[in-house]
């Protein structure tokens, strides 16, 4: 395993422990499909949370969370939709227009989803869909430092 991969794996382990300690229930880790990977999917009360974990050894190139830009955020939204479809939270037969409407209603808004939004394919059992970024800084010495940015995008 490359050193970079080992640091990333360690960061994801630290992030998962941090989220669990904060009261979130981890539903999935390292979920993969042909389009990419979701690091952590969790439940925070009535909210379904998609967490991107960014781990760095230093802040020489900025805070780890700064690595999640607009392109990465859009990709994570698409992956979240794929995860929901696979989990049967959104019907597999949903057409492209329905999926876009669903994403606009819930995923891209990152806020509370209206109770009637189920008509656009949003599952009624999640009152909120959220995208968080968990930054893990692993210094050469000392404990890892974790920053949890809720509704990051």
């Amino acid at each position: 395993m490359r050193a970079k991969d080992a640091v990333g794996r360690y960061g994801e382990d630290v992030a998962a422990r941090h989220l669990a300690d904060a009261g979130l229930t981890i539903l999935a880790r390292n979920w993969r499909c042909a389009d990419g990977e979701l690091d952590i999917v969790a439940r925070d009360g009535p909210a379904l949370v998609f967490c991107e974990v960014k781990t760095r050894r230093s802040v020489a190139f900025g805070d780890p969370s700064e690595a999640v830009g607009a392109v990465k955020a859009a990709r994570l939204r698409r992956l979240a939709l794929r995860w929901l479809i696979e989990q049967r939270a959104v019907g597999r037969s949903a057409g492209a227009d329905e999926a876009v409407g669903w994403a606009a209603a819930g995923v891209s808004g990152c806020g509370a989803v209206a109770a009637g939004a189920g008509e656009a394919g949003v599952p009624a059992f999640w009152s909120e869909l959220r995208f968080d970024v968990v930054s893990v800084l692993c210094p050469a010495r000392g404990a890892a430092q974790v920053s949890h940015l809720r509704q990051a995008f």
Side-chain angles (χ1 to χ4, degrees):
M1 180 182 278
R2 297 182 322 178
K4 178 184 175 224
D5 295 336
V7 169
R9 180 67 181 173
Y10 173 74
E12 287 180 4
D13 290 343
V14 168
R17 278 193 308 273
H18 173 83
L19 293 169
D21 289 347
L24 281 76
T25 302
I26 306 299
L27 302 176
R29 286 188 60 187
N30 303 111
W31 178 85
R32 288 180 173 84
C33 69
D35 295 333
E37 176 184 3
L38 291 171
D39 293 332
I40 297 174
V41 181
R43 182 174 54 81
D44 186 9
L48 179 63
V49 185
F50 297 94
C51 298
E52 176 68 7
V53 179
K54 289 298 179 188
T55 307
R56 300 289 185 269
R57 293 181 190 214
S58 76
V59 292
F61 296 101
D63 185 82
S65 64
E66 293 174 20
V68 181
V71 172
K72 178 73 170 179
R75 186 165 161 254
L76 291 169
R77 287 185 191 109
R78 286 191 305 274
L79 288 168
L81 180 58
R82 297 258 331 239
W83 186 88
L84 285 165
I85 290 169
E86 184 174 291
Q87 303 306 309
R88 297 179 187 252
V90 175
R92 290 180 189 271
S93 63
D97 290 341
E98 240 180 306
V100 169
W102 177 86
V107 175
S108 64
C110 301
V113 175
E119 296 168 9
V122 177
F125 49 86
W126 299 112
S127 64
E128 181 181 356
L129 299 174
R130 199 172 77 211
F131 289 88
D132 295 1
V133 175
V134 180
S135 297
V136 180
L137 185 60
C138 301
R141 293 193 174 128
Q145 300 167 7
V146 181
S147 174
H148 180 188
L149 304 174
R150 295 173 186 267
Q151 295 185 351
F153 56 93

